[in-house]
Amino acid sequence: MTPPAPRFVEVGPRDGLQNEPRAVPLEAKVAFVNLLSRSGLREIEAGAFVSPKAVPQMADSDQVFARIDRQSGVLYSALVPNERGLERALEAKIGKAAVFTAASETFNQKNINCSITESIERFKPVIQRADALRLPLRAYISTAFFCPYEGYVAPDKVVPVVDRLCALGVKELSIGDTIGRASPKDVRALLDVLLKRVRVECVFLHFHDTFGMAIANALTAWNEYGVSGFDASTGGVGGCPYAPGAGGNVAMEDLVFAFAASGAKVDVDVRKLQDAGSLIEKHLGHLMPSRLSKIALR
Ligand code: HMG
Ligand code: MG
């Protein structure tokens, strides 16, 4: 059976830029999102309505949303940690909200200053409000394979978090390898358990690429399990400020190239992703890790 067409979620403007030491100007963020919007990508996480003290890099997300040139057929989403974040996000006219928790307690405390149970309590009114407004929503589960503080995270730590989110009506899960350490073996171990509980269409995988295994992981999930949802960040930049040692997300241009080369039906133009990457690279003060940012395609 041919695996389904991949569905890519671009997280570069959020996950990619949230950990950059140098401040990226607002106009560059807007131009980055606009170029990504014209690449064939259908969903772009364009910012985060989190505490500006926690992540100053995302403090101007409301202005990013106000200034982007929204393309029809493209969904512009944002991270929302609580009701306050949702209010700000609704004012900014987001097209989709993303709540976020974790499978390891220590990471969750460091990242959002509460336990996993408390974070899910905080999401309840956010999920209810999004539901009432018919606003699409996803929930991230970070550290679903490894935690920067607790080490290996077994699938049986992820399952209860998945169950609680699904019980609240969450229909889309993004399962995070926050520190980019998972291998195909770990991906199989989790999917063997997870896909007995949730439909494969509900699952997105969010691989950081610290150890260079993200593309192998994504192709394993797609080929062997029929998972079609993948998050990635153009240029492969970023990481989480509360996950020490985490590399950037797998680069979108590398992932798209890998899927196309493996025979997937892909509607995203890799050259346009390269253009978006070159634009943002000028503002970072360092080279981007993606392979395809260094290759001229013919
Ligand atoms: P807290 O300190 O526990 O919350 O932070 P609080 O309610 O006591 O508020 C503290 C201050 O923040 C107050 O301001 C609030 O008004 C303000 P003060 O009185 O001190 O001036 N505040 C807000 N301001 C703006 N927007 C808001 C908001 N909420 C409170 N929404 C909180 C809890 C969750 C807010 C904080 O810890 C936070 O914002 N954390 C965000 C951390 C973050 O963004 N991490 C990176 C994203 S997650 C990630 O990268 C992983 C992922 O990519 C998947 C993966 O790779 O695994 C998704
Ligand atoms: Mg991430």
Side-chain angles (χ1 to χ4, degrees):
M1 196 184 72
T2 321
R7 298 169 292 159
F8 298 113
V9 175
E10 167 67 45
V11 295
R14 193 277 305 171
D15 204 336
L17 299 185
Q18 72 182 7
N19 201 33
E20 284 297 324
R22 184 188 277 192
V24 175
L26 173 63
E27 308 75 61
K29 292 181 179 179
V30 170
F32 185 39
V33 175
N34 285 345
L35 284 180
L36 293 169
S37 300
R38 296 187 194 103
S39 68
L41 287 166
R42 292 274 155 258
E43 188 169 332
I44 302 172
E45 198 168 76
F49 294 93
V50 297
S51 158
K53 285 184 192 151
V55 185
Q57 291 89 337
M58 292 290 110
D60 57 0
S61 286
D62 49 348
Q63 294 173 66
V64 171
F65 273 88
R67 292 185 195 200
I68 53 176
D69 180 15
R70 298 180 194 230
Q71 299 294 308
S72 72
V74 179
L75 203 53
Y76 299 90
S77 64
L79 278 195
V80 166
N82 51 20
E83 284 183 278
R84 167 99 189 270
L86 183 63
E87 283 312 318
R88 292 177 56 212
L90 290 173
E91 271 172 42
K93 298 192 170 33
I94 59 161
K96 182 172 180 176
V99 294
F100 53 111
T101 185
S104 73
E105 288 290 355
T106 318
F107 175 76
N108 212 48
Q109 279 292 348
K110 304 251 185 203
N111 194 36
I112 52 174
N113 201 24
C114 62
S115 68
I116 296 168
T117 299
E118 284 163 346
S119 66
I120 293 174
E121 282 302 311
R122 273 185 201 168
F123 299 160
K124 278 186 184 165
V126 174
I127 294 169
Q128 281 163 3
R129 182 94 193 278
D131 210 30
L133 295 169
R134 295 189 191 284
L135 181 74
L137 180 137
R138 70 165 19 189
Y140 284 100
I141 303 176
S142 289
T143 58
F145 301 92
F146 286 88
C147 169
Y149 309 100
E150 296 178 20
Y152 178 65
V153 176
D156 65 8
K157 293 264 188 211
V158 183
V159 162
V161 186
V162 166
D163 286 349
R164 285 152 86 179
L165 291 168
C166 291
L168 294 181
V170 170
K171 308 233 167 27
E172 183 178 314
L173 296 164
S174 176
I175 308 292
D177 179 19
T178 314
I179 60 167
R181 192 151 177 193
S183 69
K185 175 170 76 70
D186 303 313
V187 171
R188 289 187 192 103
L190 183 57
L191 291 178
D192 281 341
V193 177
L194 196 64
L195 296 180
K196 292 198 175 88
R197 317 179 83 81
V198 288
R199 287 184 301 121
V200 69
E201 302 77 37
C202 303
V203 174
F204 281 71
L205 293 171
H206 178 106
F207 292 119
H208 285 255
D209 200 25
T210 321
F211 290 84
M213 290 188 284
I215 287 183
N217 289 339
L219 291 175
T220 299
W222 180 66
N223 268 315
E224 298 179 20
Y225 294 85
V227 172
S228 60
F230 298 97
D231 300 349
S233 146
T234 291
V237 285
C240 174
Y242 298 94
N249 295 87
V250 61
M252 182 63 88
E253 59 273 43
D254 296 353
L255 192 67
V256 166
F257 185 88
F259 270 95
S262 304
K265 185 181 174 324
V266 172
D267 297 328
V268 182
D269 185 335
V270 171
R271 287 178 185 79
K272 291 191 175 165
L273 296 177
Q274 290 177 308
D275 293 344
S278 315
L279 176 134
I280 206 68
E281 188 172 45
K282 294 189 182 77
H283 298 277
L284 301 180
H286 61 82
L287 292 177
M288 302 185 302
S290 87
R291 270 84 166 170
L292 275 154
S293 60
K294 297 160 195 81
I295 296 171
L297 282 177
R298 270 179 270 167

